[in-house]
Amino acid sequence: MKVTEEEFEELVTEAISTLPEKFRERMENIVVVVESLPSQELLREMKIKSPYGLLGLYRGVPYTRRGIWYRNVMPDKIIIFKKPIEVRCRNKEDIRESVRKVVIHEIGHYFGLGEADLRKIERERDKVMKPREKEKIYLTQSYFKYPLPEGMLKELSEELKDINRYPSGGEYAKLRQILAEYVGVKMENILPANGSDEVIEIVTRAYKGEVLIPIPTFSQYEASADREGLPKVLANCLQNGEYNINYSAEQLDKASLVWLCNPNNPTGTRIPRENIIDILQKAKGMVVVDECNYEYLGETVVDLIDKYENLIISRSFSKNFGLAGLRLGFAVSNPQNIKRLAAFGQYFRVNRMAEKAAAKVLRYLDYYQEVWGKMNKVRNKFARQINELGFSAYDSKANFVLVEFKDKEECKKIWKHLKENSIYILPGWENEFSGLGDQFIRFTIGEEWEMDKVIEVLFDYVKKG
């Protein structure tokens, strides 16, 4: 969590104002200042390795050792360090409480409190500060990691009393209309599904034949083809640190099913619209554009479904709206393709809670758009810091960042180091991806304090050499 300098200084002032009056009356010849991070010189002096390891500092002569002459010298100083506190906090209330504890602790030094009293204050402070250090951070699956709207959760909880009833089933007319309005198409262009994974499955079953897959990418395209026993062509699109779709004319002529993931998972790469149109024009088979991260990218080819009969688009409510546990996805295409796909899906393919959640979630679109914008900023900051550490972060337009390390050995060392610090990420050797090398790690973008913690741990790794 991050606040402005002005907000942080206000919290420090507030913390001082809540001190017992007998303390405030005796705070003579002392200033309290805010600094971003401790200097390297100070860290060496304090024998502290990480700049995030020092929250506050008192410099001066304790009140109990002062004489009357002390009023005529330079004031003592209490320094509160902003970033080390922010990285441990999830929200502004956490920061407020943390600042209060740090101020109390450093004021304790000023009043010359004994070690027993300071340890008591330290234990009290640790109740707030230590949980952030020990809390496990999961950046593996690329789900929505920000808090869901409380109003939406309350509304959805009211539907629990009716879970003994079946969902609409079959046509899902109301759900289709809600999704169609959100996307900007007619309900005949929509097929709700049990997550985007079911869209992948029924598309593969509906258009059997050779499957063309751009690797590295999401593993379920290949896994679905394998389950159906279909021939597949894995086209390597990642070369010299750049991901570009490089399907040949021959491949597009032979394939019954062509996959595109925009932005691609795991590289986060945007596929230019003109490239997608070129593939639609050259492909003899069906082209599926997976837009599960559309809300982060902000670009779509939904407007092309009437122009190109071989276009199907897959969308999801998992990564962008926080409904991964309810499983809600949908396909967008022309009515003829939708009818064909529907024949391969179950009658009750979307559960009742997911069906109800769609409308409720979309009523909070302003909140989600604010979060998407915030997440994009956190992602860009994280990628920049990764590059500054000497690693290679791919330019991502999704809710994750792919990082390439020197080789498999370095990657495994970093993966282990992060795990030892309770940070869990997704390495290239996991089965989440098709065709990703062992020198890669994908980081899902969490809240800012989580990503700052990752950078802090990686900074320690680099510093140790």
Side-chain angles (χ1 to χ4, degrees), residues 187-206:
M187 63 176 290
E188 291 79 13
N189 298 119
I190 298 288
L191 178 71
N194 183 30
S196 61
D197 281 2
E198 189 189 26
V199 175
I200 295 170
E201 196 72 22
I202 62 178
V203 165
T204 304
R205 293 171 60 196

Side-chain angles (χ1 to χ4, degrees), residues 162-413:
D162 293 325
I163 60 172
N164 59 314
R165 299 171 60 187
Y166 285 99
S168 297
E171 292 292 319
Y172 284 98
K174 187 173 181 180
L175 176 59
R176 292 172 73 191
Q177 186 60 44
I178 290 168
L179 297 175
E181 289 175 4
Y182 172 61
V183 176
V185 296
K186 298 177 181 178
M187 63 176 290
E188 291 79 13
N189 298 119
I190 298 288
L191 178 71
N194 183 30
S196 61
D197 281 2
E198 189 189 26
V199 175
I200 295 170
E201 196 72 22
I202 62 178
V203 165
T204 304
R205 293 171 60 196
Y207 299 96
K208 290 187 175 182
E210 187 169 279
V211 182
L212 185 54
I213 302 170
I215 61 171
T217 196
F218 184 43
S219 63
Q220 286 306 305
Y221 312 142
E222 182 180 6
S224 185
D226 289 342
R227 283 190 289 270
E228 294 299 315
L230 302 178
K232 64 196 179 191
V233 175
L234 306 180
N236 183 15
C237 296
L238 182 59
Q239 297 175 0
N240 301 319
E242 292 188 2
Y243 182 90
N244 293 298
I245 300 298
N246 55 8
Y247 292 149
S248 69
E250 182 182 359
Q251 289 171 334
L252 291 171
D253 185 66
K254 291 176 61 179
S256 296
L257 189 57
V258 179
W259 285 101
L260 296 172
C261 187
N262 190 32
N264 184 54
N265 179 10
T267 60
T269 311
R270 167 187 175 268
I271 302 175
R273 179 182 176 91
E274 56 269 24
N275 291 19
I276 297 174
I277 292 175
D278 184 60
I279 290 170
L280 284 166
Q281 292 173 343
K282 292 178 179 178
K284 294 292 181 62
M286 194 62 60
V287 177
V288 186
V289 181
D290 187 339
E291 293 186 350
C292 283
N293 274 287
Y294 156 73
E295 281 78 8
Y296 298 117
L297 176 63
E299 298 178 13
T300 182
V301 288
V302 162
D303 58 300
L304 300 178
I305 57 173
D306 291 327
K307 184 173 183 180
Y308 296 98
E309 295 181 356
N310 61 337
L311 173 61
I312 296 174
I313 295 157
S314 176
R315 292 276 189 93
S316 170
F317 272 66
S318 297
K319 298 171 175 58
N320 317 316
F321 292 101
L323 299 186
L326 290 181
R327 311 306 300 135
L328 178 60
F330 58 100
V332 188
S333 191
N334 63 60
Q336 292 73 27
N337 292 336
I338 292 297
K339 286 180 182 178
R340 181 169 179 174
L341 294 176
F344 291 88
Q346 296 183 34
Y347 187 81
F348 292 117
R349 56 188 173 272
V350 177
N351 71 74
R352 184 179 179 85
M353 291 300 288
E355 182 182 8
K356 298 296 182 181
K360 300 181 188 306
V361 160
L362 292 173
R363 283 202 288 269
Y364 291 86
L365 196 56
D366 288 346
Y367 168 81
Y368 283 102
Q369 288 172 337
E370 181 181 344
V371 173
W372 298 334
K374 183 187 300 182
M375 194 286 304
N376 284 340
K377 291 180 181 178
V378 173
R379 179 198 63 212
N380 295 341
K381 171 189 169 185
F382 176 73
R384 184 183 72 253
Q385 291 175 321
I386 285 288
N387 290 328
E388 289 172 354
L389 287 173
F391 306 122
S392 179
Y394 281 70
D395 181 23
S396 175
K397 303 300 181 185
N399 68 336
F400 48 78
V401 170
L402 184 69
V403 180
E404 183 173 6
F405 299 96
K406 182 174 65 176
D407 51 32
K408 179 179 179 180
E409 183 180 357
E410 181 186 54
C411 189
K412 286 206 167 185
K413 286 180 180 178

